[in-house]
């Protein structure tokens, strides 16, 4: 079978390990590569050249990428490269006619590939680590959160109950929150190696995903300033002033991140979400409790801090406060595509979600047409009209997520070197093999 992989920085290392095994099994392997420093070793590489100055142009037909391309939204790019890259990618797809495409959906060239694959009716699957159950892999269709294929194995009732209890009692963490198994020294060495590699790509011309070193330092300094500002106004625990008041918990999602910017589109402006939700709740005397991601990034902006400071009914919670300290007490949780949505469903807690994605359709989730709708949902919760998912719903969802996944994991091998172990690669190859068999 002719297979096309799409390069995505360090994910390419894992893809390459899998692709080499698939190639040895007789599959024809090809690659779309945007960043030359991550060129793989297996198969045939189709290197996308950097656009020349005369090839850059504004094209309104690519306006949909403006909020999704992190190089434009966060790093000051202008999108003039999109048309040139789209032509190159389409030419490769037309010439190759791959039977299937595997890739992530975080960088602009991957998003362009997804759109072109849709037009040509070519299957595109995202291999993605599950949030829960932990340590498993799903293949998502195109740029959606909809899983395809999977082991199709039901969990035994006793194991299902135990797994659900562990998640609800926070005895396990989502896969992406697992700490690395490397030593402190190895971590430092890999961090410097990563910086050198990324800088090498930037020097060679990769300016569309990679910010300049100067801009990167400027963004890091801004974040440090806003982090201190947030912590100066934040509570370390739920304040006593909340007693007897209705309130909603809004955990912020880290950005840039495809979870919210792609799957949560068009609700990825968290400054607007916080402001609009707080204003809506103010009318009913309710409070919005905002908790940042422990590893907050560019979403922690000056504009966000100004909104929190200026709205009397917003309570800021510290980065260092664990979720379990606020989750259990929250009458209602609001999110776009955060893992907290899944945790609410499994725990039977009412949760409201923005966006038209798979998670918004789970049992116990109130889909919001706009941030202002949160007030009506909270009234429903207080009146016992809006309820969380039932225990049966929670078990059915967890079993579904298990059936549509495989026993393997995929994550950044620099931060999680165990992703490249022989055991995990074998699990990944088995999962890819199963997908390919089921496609035939």
């Amino acid at each position: 079978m002719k297979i096309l992989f799409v390069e995505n920085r360090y994910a390419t290392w894992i893809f390459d390990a899998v692709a080499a095994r698939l190639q040895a099994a007789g599959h024809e392997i090809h690659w779309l590569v945007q960043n030359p420093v991550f060129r793989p070793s297996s198969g045939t590489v189709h290197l996308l050249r950097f656009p020349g100055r005369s090839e850059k142009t504004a094209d309104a037909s690519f306006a949909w990428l403006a909020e999704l391309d992190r190089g434009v939204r966060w790093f000051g790019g202008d999108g003039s490269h999109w048309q040139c890259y789209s032509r190159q990618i389409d030419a490769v797809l037309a010439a190759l006619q791959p039977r299937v495409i595997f890739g992530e959906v975080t960088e602009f060239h991957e998003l362009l590939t997804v759109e072109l694959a849709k037009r040509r009716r070519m299957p595109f699957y995202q291999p993605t680590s599950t949030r829960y159950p932990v340590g498993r892999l799903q293949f998502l269709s195109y740029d959606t959160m909809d899983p395809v294929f999977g082991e199709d194995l039901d969990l035994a009732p006793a194991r299902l109950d135990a797994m659900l209890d562990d998640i609800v009692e926070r005895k396990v963490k989502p896969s992406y929150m697992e700490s690395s198994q490397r030593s402190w020294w190895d971590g430092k060495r890999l961090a410097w190696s990563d910086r050198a590699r990324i800088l090498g790509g930037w020097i060679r011309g990769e300016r569309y995903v990679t910010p300049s070193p100067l801009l990167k330092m400027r963004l890091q300094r801004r974040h440090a300033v806003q982090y201190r500002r947030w912590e100066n106004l934040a509570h370390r625990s739920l304040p006593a002033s909340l007693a007897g008041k209705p309130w909603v918990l809004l955990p912020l999602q880290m950005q840039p991140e495809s979870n919210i910017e792609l799957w949560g589109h068009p609700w990825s402006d968290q400054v607007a979400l916080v402001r609009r939700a707080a204003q809506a709740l103010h009318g009913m005397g309710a409070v919005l409790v905002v908790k940042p991601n422990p590893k907050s990034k560019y979403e922690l902006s000056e504009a966000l801090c100004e909104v929190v400071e200026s709205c009397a009914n917003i309570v800021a919670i510290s980065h260092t406060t664990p979720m379990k300290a606020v989750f259990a007490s929250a009458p209602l949780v609001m999110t776009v595509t955060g893992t907290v949505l899944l945790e609410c469903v499994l725990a039977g807690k009412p949760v409201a979600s923005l966006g038209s994605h798979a998670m918004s359709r789970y049992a116990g989730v109130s889909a919001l047409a706009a941030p202002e709708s949160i007030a009506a949902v909270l009234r429903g919760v207080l009146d016992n009209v809006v309820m969380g998912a039932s225990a049966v719903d929670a078990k059915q969802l967890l079993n579904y997520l298990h059936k549509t996944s495989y026993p393997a994991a995929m994550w950044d091998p620099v931060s999680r070197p165990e992703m490249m172990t022989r055991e995990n690669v074998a699990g990944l190859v088995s999962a890819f093999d199963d997908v390919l068999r089921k496609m035939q």
Side-chain angles (χ1 to χ4, degrees):
M1 185 180 294
K2 188 180 293 185
I3 304 170
L4 177 65
F5 286 90
V6 185
E7 169 265 323
N8 182 304
R9 290 196 175 189
Y10 293 108
T12 310
W13 291 3
I14 301 180
F15 284 153
D16 198 14
V18 172
R21 297 275 290 273
L22 296 178
Q23 184 172 255
H27 295 284
E28 183 179 340
I29 303 299
H30 292 265
W31 294 86
L32 268 177
V33 175
Q34 190 268 339
N35 190 334
V37 300
F38 291 99
R39 187 186 183 106
S41 60
S42 60
T44 302
V45 174
H46 305 269
L47 183 63
L48 303 173
R49 57 181 174 75
F50 301 128
R53 184 173 300 178
S54 62
E55 295 176 293
K56 294 184 179 182
T57 181
D59 189 332
S61 66
F62 293 96
W64 57 274
L65 257 177
E67 292 184 13
L68 307 179
D69 183 350
R70 59 188 58 184
V72 171
R73 179 168 183 177
W74 300 101
F75 303 145
D78 60 10
S80 60
H81 55 290
W82 293 332
Q83 186 186 83
C84 180
Y85 271 105
S86 181
R87 286 198 301 265
Q88 292 184 71
I89 295 168
D90 198 40
V92 172
L93 297 184
L96 284 182
Q97 294 294 312
R99 179 66 180 84
V100 62
I101 306 170
F102 292 111
E104 296 196 352
V105 288
T106 57
E107 298 176 1
F108 77 92
H109 66 285
E110 296 164 314
L111 295 166
L112 287 170
T113 304
V114 168
E115 288 303 305
L116 292 167
K118 287 179 183 177
R119 295 178 197 175
R120 293 184 174 277
R121 300 180 183 273
M122 295 174 176
F124 184 111
Y125 301 131
Q126 313 163 43
T128 305
S129 286
T130 57
R131 309 182 198 203
Y132 297 110
V134 298
R136 293 183 69 83
L137 183 81
Q138 285 184 318
F139 288 83
L140 306 182
S141 179
Y142 292 102
D143 54 355
T144 73
M145 299 180 78
D146 300 316
V148 293
F149 308 114
E151 273 193 306
D152 199 29
L153 295 178
D154 289 305
L155 283 163
R159 189 181 174 204
L160 178 58
D161 288 341
M163 189 179 292
L164 183 59
D165 288 343
D166 285 347
I167 294 171
V168 172
E169 295 173 15
R170 296 186 178 274
K171 293 180 180 178
V172 295
K173 297 178 180 179
S175 302
Y176 64 88
M177 291 181 65
E178 290 293 330
S179 57
S180 173
Q181 299 176 7
R182 69 188 179 213
S183 67
W184 178 88
W185 171 249
D186 282 342
K188 288 294 184 183
R189 178 178 56 80
L190 289 170
W192 282 107
S193 176
D194 167 56
R195 291 171 187 168
R197 185 175 292 107
I198 298 300
L199 178 60
W202 185 82
I203 291 172
R204 291 178 64 174
E206 202 306 282
R207 309 292 172 86
Y208 307 107
V209 177
T210 310
S212 71
L214 184 61
L215 175 59
K216 185 73 171 180
M217 288 188 290
R218 189 179 301 131
L219 290 171
Q220 290 172 340
R221 284 197 299 268
R222 288 178 187 171
H223 177 263
V225 169
Q226 300 311 318
Y227 187 101
R228 291 192 297 270
R229 182 178 179 182
W230 183 279
E231 290 302 303
N232 285 335
L233 59 91
H235 297 263
R236 269 50 184 176
S237 60
L238 292 174
S241 60
L242 279 180
K245 287 186 178 180
W247 59 282
V248 175
L249 172 63
L250 173 57
L252 297 173
Q253 294 181 239
M254 187 174 67
Q255 290 181 281
E257 178 57 63
S258 60
N259 275 351
I260 183 170
E261 289 163 356
L262 175 62
W263 297 327
H265 184 76
W267 303 110
S268 61
D269 183 347
Q270 295 189 89
V271 177
L273 294 188
V274 170
R275 182 183 66 251
R276 292 170 64 178
Q279 289 173 347
L281 293 171
H282 179 72
M284 60 179 291
V287 175
L288 183 68
V289 176
V290 182
K291 186 187 181 310
N293 187 292
K295 299 179 180 179
S296 67
K297 213 167 181 182
Y298 307 141
E299 78 281 1
L300 197 69
S301 63
E302 180 178 3
L304 177 65
C305 289
E306 287 176 353
V307 168
V308 173
E309 289 173 338
S310 63
C311 293
N313 69 323
I314 294 181
V315 170
I317 299 295
S318 171
H319 286 79
T320 59
T321 303
M323 178 63 83
K324 64 182 179 182
V326 294
F327 180 84
S329 303
L332 173 65
V333 175
M334 178 181 178
T335 187
V336 182
T337 55
T339 301
V340 70
L341 183 153
L342 183 54
E343 293 170 342
C344 285
V345 174
L346 298 179
K349 180 179 289 292
V351 58
S353 172
L354 287 156
S356 300
H357 47 81
M359 294 172 71
S360 68
R361 300 189 292 272
Y362 291 166
V365 179
S366 297
L368 302 175
E372 288 77 10
S373 304
I374 192 64
V377 176
L378 180 58
R379 288 191 190 96
V381 171
L382 299 176
D383 293 339
N384 293 317
V385 176
V386 174
M387 310 294 288
S390 68
V392 172
D393 291 331
K395 291 180 182 180
Q396 287 178 343
L397 175 59
L398 191 55
N399 190 59
Y400 166 76
L401 296 174
H402 185 272
K403 289 182 69 171
T404 56
S405 60
Y406 297 91
M410 184 169 174
W411 203 254
D412 176 2
V414 171
S415 59
R416 300 280 300 279
E418 65 272 18
M419 295 295 104
M420 297 298 291
T421 62
R422 180 178 300 179
E423 179 183 10
N424 190 60
V425 171
L428 288 168
V429 172
S430 178
F432 276 78
D433 272 336
D434 189 69
V435 170
L436 297 175
R437 282 196 302 270
K438 288 174 178 175
M439 286 183 61
Q440 292 176 342

